[in-house]
Each structure stands twice: as structure tokens, then as C-alpha cells.
Amino acid sequence: MNIDQFLQQSGMENAPDISLEAIFLSLGMALLLSGLMFITFKKSHSLIVYDVKFNITLVMLALVTTLIMSIIRHNVALSLGMMGSLSIVRFRTNTKDPRDLGFVFWSMAIGVICSTQTFGIGIIGSIMISILMIATGDNSEKSENLLLVVRGSQSNVTVLSDIIMKYNSASKLKAQNLLEDSFELVYEIKGNSRSHEELILAMKLKEIPGVDTVNLLTPSSEII
């Protein structure tokens, strides 16, 4: 019994003639290509913007699109309407990185390609997109946006700023709270939470008289 017979018995007319083997082949290929997309998404995003739940959703979107397009691909108008509906749902959701929108369309393209079983186009296109995104993306192993928070009392803020700029010229002052008997400086610095340079900077600041605490923060944890 194929999908065509099942749909007709369910009361759906003009159902496409699709065998179970073709469905499994399409879903298997969609899973393979979306796996490549999953790895690409992770490799091309830094830790501060990477969202594993969104990445899993992209894989699910590719599979869902494959299923839907396999059923309604015989109806061009209905197919285009469904694709538009899926894209509108994504447009109404905030993204951390503008490139995420491109991954949404990549996921939908995988579904369309696998439902029509034009696997050659899907493989070549996915490989090219993967290379492009990884080459132009943020390498989370090399660079992160870290927050350096310095708190204390009766210390020369200018000296602290000079030391921070000396060890990390790409640092940016995000907040500065100066009170009568205390201060707080918040810097955004480029680096790696596992790098010795950032740890050395934190230790140098801690040695300055008047500095009480030095916190080096990653997006999800505090390491000092």
C-alpha cells in the first residue's frame, strides 16, 4: 500500500503517487543535508550568539518542509502558499544574528530539494553554502566577546583603563559608575575565555591597590 492509496482512502483527492520508499529516501537525505547545516551553523557562530535550540529547529524545519512538499508538490499554488507561511513565521521571530535568516531559507530549500529528489543540486549547493558560511563566520574557538568587570574604591580609573588598553587594544568601555567611595568599570574585550592573555590581564588589575574584584565573564559563566 503506497501513500497515494492511503490518502485516497482518507478522503483526499488528487493525491500524489509517492511510495514509502521514496518518502524514506527523501527524509533520509533531508536529515543528512540538515546535519551538514547543523554543523555549519555551530561552526559559523560565536558562543555569545549560538543558540542550540534554534539550530535543532532548523533541522526540524527541513524535515517538516520535506514532508509537506512531498504531499502537496503536485499543487503549485498550494506549495508556494505553504512556503510563504513558513517564512512568515520566521520573520516574526527575533534573531540574534542576521545570518540566521539565510539558514532558515537554506533549511526550507533542503526540504524542497529532498521532496523533489533533486539530490545533486542539494549536495553541491549545501557544500558551497557550508564552506562560505564557515569561512566568513565567527570562530568560537578563537574569538569571543567577554565582559571585564572591575570594582573597587580609591583607585586611579585612568591607570586601570591604560592597563586594559595595553593588554587588549580592541576593548570597549560599556559602562562606568563612579561613586564617592567606589567605582565600577565594565569593558567588552575580544579574546578567548581559555586564553592566558585575558587571565594575565585580570591578575594584573587585581594587583592594583584599591581594586577589590575583577570578574571576567563569558555569556554563560563567570571564570574569575
Side-chain angles (χ1 to χ4, degrees):
M1 178 179 181
N2 58 27
I3 297 298
D4 180 31
Q5 296 172 338
F6 174 78
L7 292 176
Q8 290 179 355
Q9 291 179 4
S10 301
M12 294 182 62
E13 299 180 352
N14 299 322
D17 186 13
I18 307 174
S19 65
L20 288 176
E21 292 78 6
I23 288 292
F24 282 116
L25 178 61
S26 297
L27 288 175
M29 199 64 192
L31 186 61
L32 180 63
L33 293 179
S34 59
L36 175 61
M37 179 181 60
F38 183 93
I39 297 174
T40 302
F41 185 87
K42 183 176 182 180
K43 292 292 185 181
S44 61
H45 285 70
S46 63
L47 293 178
I48 198 171
V49 297
Y50 176 67
D51 187 348
V52 63
K53 293 182 178 179
F54 178 72
N55 201 359
I56 295 174
T57 302
L58 290 174
V59 176
M60 183 181 69
L61 178 60
L63 297 177
V64 171
T65 305
T66 301
L67 286 173
I68 295 176
M69 294 300 296
S70 295
I71 299 300
I72 64 175
R73 66 180 181 179
H74 65 295
N75 189 323
V76 178
L78 185 58
S79 301
L80 294 177
M82 183 59 66
M83 292 290 292
S85 299
L86 292 173
S87 63
I88 289 174
V89 171
R90 185 59 241 170
F91 285 139
R92 295 178 62 86
T93 305
N94 294 329
T95 58
K96 295 180 180 179
D97 191 327
R99 294 174 302 169
D100 292 351
L101 183 60
F103 280 93
V104 173
F105 281 104
W106 184 7
S107 178
M108 295 170 63
I110 289 175
V112 174
I113 288 169
C114 292
S115 65
T116 57
Q117 297 191 355
T118 51
F119 301 135
I121 297 176
I123 294 173
I124 296 174
S126 294
I127 291 176
M128 293 181 64
I129 294 174
S130 178
I131 294 175
L132 174 64
M133 296 306 298
I134 292 178
T136 59
D138 299 326
N139 192 325
S140 59
E141 296 296 327
K142 294 182 179 180
S143 179
E144 298 175 18
N145 289 317
L146 306 176
L147 288 180
L148 178 67
V149 183
V150 184
R151 299 186 182 93
S153 58
Q154 299 179 353
S155 182
N156 192 327
V157 176
T158 303
V159 173
L160 294 175
S161 300
D162 292 340
I163 294 177
I164 294 174
M165 291 298 297
K166 177 181 178 181
Y167 282 88
N168 196 300
S169 58
S171 61
K172 297 179 180 179
L173 180 63
K174 306 297 291 185
Q176 178 176 281
N177 300 319
L178 301 177
L179 302 178
E180 184 176 351
D181 57 349
S182 64
F183 69 90
E184 181 184 68
L185 301 176
V186 180
Y187 278 86
E188 181 183 76
I189 64 176
K190 282 284 187 180
N192 191 315
S193 58
R194 295 166 292 280
S195 172
H196 292 296
E197 294 182 1
E198 281 66 42
L199 297 177
I200 293 175
L201 170 60
M203 296 304 296
K204 289 291 185 181
L205 295 174
K206 190 67 175 64
E207 294 174 355
I208 298 177
V211 175
D212 298 330
T213 61
V214 178
N215 296 326
L216 188 59
L217 306 176
T218 65
S220 60
S221 63
E222 180 178 312
I223 64 173
I224 289 186

